[in-house]
Each structure stands twice: as C-alpha cells, then as structure tokens.
Amino acid sequence: MNIALRKKELVKEFSPLLLKPSKWAKIWIGILVGLILWGLIAFVIQVVKGHEVTGMRDNVVWGIYIINFIFFVCLSYSGAFISGVLHFFKTPWKNSVSRIVEIITVVSLIIGPIFILLCIGRLDRLHYLFLYPRIQSPITWDIIAIITDLIGCFIYLYLTFIPDFAILRDNSEGLPKWRKKLYTFLAIGYRDTSTQRKRLHKITRIMSAMIIALAIVAYTVLAWIFSLTLQPGWNSTIFAPYFIVAGLYSGIGVIIIAMYLIRKYFKLEHYIRKVHFIGAGVILLIISLLFGYFTFSEYFSRWFSHKIHDANLLDTLFNRYFWEFVFANYIGVLVPIVILFFKKFRTIKSITFAAIVAVLGLWLNRYLIVVPTLETPYIPIQDTRPEFVHYSATWIEWALSFAGVAAFVLFFMLLMRLVPIIPMSGIIDYEREGKVRPSELTQQQQQQ
Amino acid sequence: MKTNLLTYTICTLLIGLFLVPNTMAQEINLRDYRIRFRFKTVKQADQTRMLEASFIAANKKDRKDRLPVYGAEISFANVLEGEEVALGTAKTSKEGIAHIILPKDQSYLTDKEGKFTLKAVFAGTDEMKRQEREINTKDVQLSVELAEKDSIRTVQINAHTLDSLGVEIPLEEADVIVSVQGMLSRMVMDEGTIEDGRYEFEMPTDLPGDVDGNITVYASIEDHDDYGDVIQKETAQWGVPNASNKEGTNSLWSEVAPIWMYVVLTILLVGIWANFAYTITNLFKIRKEGQELETEPAN
C-alpha cells in the first residue's frame, strides 16, 4: 500500500468537511451564535441585578445551572471513559466514533464548569477558592479534579489529533495559508516514522488508561459533593457508582445522537454504519439496565427505611413532580430498554430515538436529584412564601442553558472544521495492519 | 419511520398508563366492611386516666384492608344505674383513635364495691350505625419503689384498691409486667403476679442508662378484667452511664485537614501529573526527531 498516496486520497475525501461551510451550515452557525448572544444578554442582566433574576432562593440555592453542570461534566467524563476504553483495548470499530467521543469529552468539559460559575453569587470572591482552599471540602476536590481532568483530556485529544494534523500539513493544497501554518505548528514535526509512531502510540495508550482512571475519580468526587451532605435524597453510599452509570448513560446517548446527525448531514454512511449504531445501542441497553437498577435501589431503600425526611422527599417526588418522575425514571429507562432489547426494533432511527429519550430522561433525573431535595429542607425557613420554597427556572436561566447547548454544538462544528471527524490516521493504521475487508474500502479505492 | 413512530407512541402511552396508579377512582362500599369499635381505659403514671376509643372498618374478605374512621365524634361518660355524667367528647384521628384524659382528682359514680362504669358512644350517621361500649373498672393505686436491699437492686411493686371508707385493700391476684424505657420502646424485664398487693423483682446491674446513668422502670397491669390498664414508673441512677451520648468530634471541621488527606491527595496528584509530564516530554522528543528529519539533507 502506498501510504503517501492513501493519505492524499483521504484528505481529498474529507476535505469537503474542512473547507468552506455550506449555506445550511452557515444558517446553523448563525442560529447558534444568536442563542449564545441571547445567553450573553441574560448573563449581563444576572451580573448587574444579581441572582434575584433567577429562580434560586434561600431554600433552593441550586437550580438548572448545577443540573447543566452535572449533565455536561458527566457527559465529558463518560466521553473520556469511553474514548479511553476504545483506545486502550484497541476496539476494532473505534475509528468511526473515537473522534466524536473525544470532541464531546473536551467541549463538554469546557462548557460544564461555566455553569457552576453562573451559580456563584459573588463571582468577585472566586479567587478565594484558590487562595484559601479547604482541603477537607469536596468542592475543593472537585475543582482539583475538574482542572486535572480538563488538562488530561486536552493532552489526550491533542495526541489523537497529531497524526491527522501531520497528514493535513503534508497534503494542504488548496487550504488557506493560516491553516497550513496552524497544521504545521500543531503537527510538531510528526513525520510518521516508526519511532515517532511507536512513541505516540505508547503515550496515547498511557494517557487513555490515565483518563479512564481520572474520569472515575472525577465522577466520584462530583457525586460526593452531594452524597457527603446529610440532605435527604443525597446522603447515599451508592451515589458515586450511580453517577458513573448515569454519566455513561447520557454519554452514550449523546454519542449516538451525534453519530446520527454527523452521518446524515456529512454523508458519512460509509464510515458510520448500522453496525456501529447496533454496537452503541447494545451498550446503551446494558447501561440503561444498570441505571434502572441503581435508580430502583436508591429510591426503594429510601421508601423502605421510611425516615421522616426521606418520606417527605418521596412524597414531593410522587405528588408535585409526579410526571417528571415518571418520565425520568420510568419512560427514560424503560422505553430505551424496550426498543433496544428487541432485535427487530434496532434500526438506526429507533436507536437514535432511544438515545434521545435516555438523554432527556437523564437530564430530568438530575433535576429530580437537585431541586426536590432542596425544596424539602430539614427545618422550614421562616419566610414561607411559595416562591421562596419552590423553584421555577426563569427565562434568564433558560437563556443561559440554551446558550450552553448552542456553544457545545458550535464548538463541536468548529472542531470538525479543524480536523476530519473520522481520524485519517486511524484508517491508515487499520489498513497498514491489514485488517481491512473489501467491503470496507472507500469508494475511491473500490473504483481503483 | 411512520410505523416506528406509531410503535413508540403506543409503547410510551402504555407504559405511562400502567404507571399512573390513581387513574381510576376507588369506590368504597360500607357493606363490605365490619365496624370495630373498641374502648379501653388506662390509668397513667401521673394518676390521670385516659379513655381511648378506636374506630376501624375492617374488610370482611381482605384482612389487610383496614380503614380508620376519621373525624367521628365520640362521647365519653360515667354511668351508674340510669344516671349518666358526661366526661367529654373527642373526634377520631387519622388512625381512627379518639381519646380524652381525665384529671387525677376526677370523681366517679361508683357502686358498693367501688367499681365504676365508663361508656364510649358514637351517635351514628345516615351511613354508619350507632356504636357503644362500656367498661366496668375499679381504681387501683399502683406504686413502684426502687430500693437497694442488702446491696441488691430491688423493684418493689405495691398495688391496692380503696374501699368506700378509704381503707387500703391489697390486690389479691393480678399479672404485672416490669419493663425499662429504651430509646424507642419499653424493654420487658420480667412478668409476674402481684399477690397480697406485692411483687418484687431483682434488677440487673448492667443495663445501659442515659448520660447520668438514669433508667426508668415501669410496672404495668394490662387489660385486666377488673382494673383495665394501669401504669406506674420510677426513675433511679441504676444504669451504666452511656458514654456514646458525648458529642462526636469531626476532624474535618478543624482548620487543618488530617495528614492522611494531604498524603492521599499528593500521591494522586503527583501520580497523575507525572504522567502528564512524561507525555509532554515524549511530545518534545517527537518534535526533536521531526526537526532533525527536516534539517537532514535529502538523499
């Protein structure tokens, strides 16, 4: 196999993804930028007027910001976990999904912590966290874990990008000058020699193992922020593994949705195939069973022990939040299980539908972990105005939440313009090892 | 996709339907229920007397289905040969229980033997029949004495009634339960029979008490045909002081974290950052090799 020629072919095949965006892509980018600007306006209002413009009050001090934080951070940890597993165990079909997973990991880890900053009433005192950290506090552990994980994920993502930057540098005909310079800088002189390749594979493998461990530690610390308190609904010994499973559940769901959209809009049916959806669907099925089991254990033990504050919480969940509870913990778990359990339901569209239900259900599940607990405090506050006791998100919070989602999608699209969403180096490695089957050849190869 | 969408919609609706337990209203037919109206009197430790009526509807077929009658007004009275003295009224709680407490100096209409009759009445409604129960009881003076006899901790229980002249008549025979107050309920220590108005019990010395070593000993006559329920209690420093009631010290509330926390955190961070450093060092080596290849003259 002429590797240089093959690299050229791949660049030619993927260059439409990297070059000028289509009309529809521009419209999309416009909408996303509009949403982000809307969020910025909301942010300015929140900074000027303070937290009174949100639904957060004395009792419910955390709202949808913290829920988005948990959601995005868990998404990132699950991405890191899955990506690490794909690389470490050299999964055969990793090429089709690994870059999607890696980008999800890093982008969500950038977006997630922004939401925690929005929760802070006195942002001007933020630096105190670093100047006077309390090592005993899970918040400090979480800050350390997130920063370490963010740096680890950046290094890992960069390692996986280097061979593709080198390919793009060497085959950059028709690309703007600034891009050539950027690829040259980012490729750090990688020439795909056997020593360089070996060295890069070795450190990528080490980092993949490292980010699996980091993801588990960071997940655990995030869960401890809740479970180490004595609040009803949070003080639970299984919260850390429950968060890990829940994070994986949302992570795989988002990966499937991203796979579906990328496959459809970038016409990558040749690379992202039905078999990948079925594989991801089966993993989603296993995780949904585990998630259902943990959820049942969590609520059943609370219901059975019937401690007065737990009973109050369950009362709130089964009355005030009845439909949310049903959607999050029954429909959000059972519908994906039913769809994914039966082989004949396992089509690309149905697996994507199951993933959407799972992701929405899980977001609501996070909401039900945070808000109802804060609405049922140990000691009722003196001023019991309903708006102080019950939480309801304001347009400011929704605007910033949608801005976060928009920023996630926008960053994802921009990163896809920097490097191909299917790692070219992965395809070459795969073909170099002689694992390619005739049916897996690209259209150009088949024509030759 | 249309077929799939239809399948999902049906599945979702079905699951939703199964999970809504309150969608169908439950009709209750009183004819399926047997009314249980019970009445008891308890002479309490402070010499007051509690009159308690319980009002429950029990399903004739399903023994698990028991519905407390809520909000029913119960009238309590003391009766003697056609004469009736109202003692008070109370409404049943959510548990179907109505009770009133009579003061210790309450006077009763008594017969020649010193017995008096208490009555609880539910007047009835259009749906439910009138209910009435009577208890014929006698006032008992129960006392508990905690004394050390020859270094043996002894619970001495005395019980007597008073005749019309105020002469004490010791109880001839009545079952008594000796118990100790625990955290949630009373722990039974002994069960015996009061004879000639007396009963004695040797108390163990290793019972856990409160922080000061106090324990509360109860003597109770329960559900007796002539005396109903009678309870008396006494407290003494006979227990082992409970040291676990001391407030715990939490080292995480101190200004400085425990040493082990610094050690674990340092090991974790050094382990991780060493790997990052190793990776970055290798990246520099890759770059160096690339630069060398660039500067090498082409063959």
Side-chain angles (χ1 to χ4, degrees), chain A residues 6-199:
Chain A
R6 184 75 185 110
K7 284 178 181 173
K8 212 174 245 332
E9 274 174 17
L10 285 170
V11 172
K12 201 174 169 190
E13 191 172 348
F14 289 114
S15 57
L17 302 180
L18 306 171
L19 294 173
K20 280 193 173 175
S22 65
K23 190 178 84 179
W24 282 110
K26 280 179 184 167
I27 292 170
W28 256 111
I29 290 171
I31 293 170
L32 295 172
V33 170
L35 279 171
I36 294 167
L37 286 175
W38 184 41
L40 280 175
I41 293 167
F43 177 67
V44 171
I45 294 172
Q46 185 179 306
V47 169
V48 172
K49 294 192 173 176
H51 271 196
E52 70 163 341
V53 296
T54 69
M56 294 184 281
R57 291 290 180 272
D58 288 11
N59 254 27
V60 186
V61 291
W62 280 345
I64 56 171
Y65 292 154
I66 195 95
I67 296 153
N68 292 333
F69 164 72
I70 303 168
F71 185 80
F72 275 110
V73 170
C74 278
L75 191 60
S76 164
Y77 296 158
S78 71
F81 191 91
I82 296 162
S83 175
V85 168
L86 287 174
H87 271 278
F88 192 78
F89 294 104
K90 295 182 179 168
T91 315
W93 45 276
K94 77 175 166 69
N95 279 336
S96 303
V97 289
S98 62
R99 184 135 300 154
I100 298 174
V101 180
E102 286 148 11
I103 295 177
I104 286 175
T105 304
V106 174
V107 174
S108 51
L109 200 54
I110 294 168
I111 303 291
I114 293 172
F115 281 107
I116 202 82
L117 297 179
L118 298 175
C119 283
I120 299 170
R122 294 291 303 265
L123 270 173
D124 54 309
R125 293 182 182 174
L126 184 65
H127 59 286
Y128 288 179
L129 269 173
F130 301 93
L131 291 178
Y132 315 108
R134 266 179 74 81
I135 299 298
Q136 305 97 308
S137 165
I139 301 278
T140 309
W141 308 340
D142 203 32
I143 289 167
I144 295 170
I146 286 176
I147 292 172
T148 313
D149 196 49
L150 186 65
I151 293 166
C153 286
F154 264 125
I155 296 172
Y156 175 68
L157 184 76
Y158 179 58
L159 293 181
T160 60
F161 276 20
I162 288 172
D164 277 13
F165 285 141
I167 295 172
L168 287 165
R169 176 200 59 203
D170 298 336
N171 302 278
S172 56
E173 298 87 16
L175 287 178
K177 248 186 182 176
W178 67 269
R179 273 211 178 195
K180 285 180 193 172
K181 273 187 185 171
L182 185 70
Y183 289 139
T184 310
F185 174 73
L186 292 172
I188 55 160
Y190 184 79
R191 299 277 164 197
D192 201 18
T193 64
S194 65
T195 37
Q196 278 184 325
R197 199 165 48 241
K198 255 187 200 169
R199 203 183 287 279

Side-chain angles (χ1 to χ4, degrees), chain A residues 136 191 195-196 210 350, chain B residues 8 252 254 275 286 289 294:
Chain A
Q136 305 97 308
R191 299 277 164 197
T195 37
Q196 278 184 325
M210 185 53 63
S350 64
Chain B
Y8 305 146
L252 294 180
S254 61
N275 267 290
I286 288 172
E289 193 186 329
E294 274 172 31

Side-chain angles (χ1 to χ4, degrees), chain B residues 124-136:
Chain B
T125 61
D126 294 343
E127 289 84 22
M128 296 182 85
K129 283 185 201 165
R130 175 188 164 88
Q131 302 288 333
E132 187 179 317
R133 289 284 180 280
E134 277 188 7
I135 300 172
N136 192 240

Side-chain angles (χ1 to χ4, degrees), chain A residues 135 141 224, chain B residues 251-252 257-267:
Chain A
I135 299 298
W141 308 340
W224 281 351
Chain B
S251 54
L252 294 180
I259 299 277
W260 68 263
M261 202 170 268
Y262 285 102
V263 173
V264 170
L265 204 64
T266 310
I267 291 171

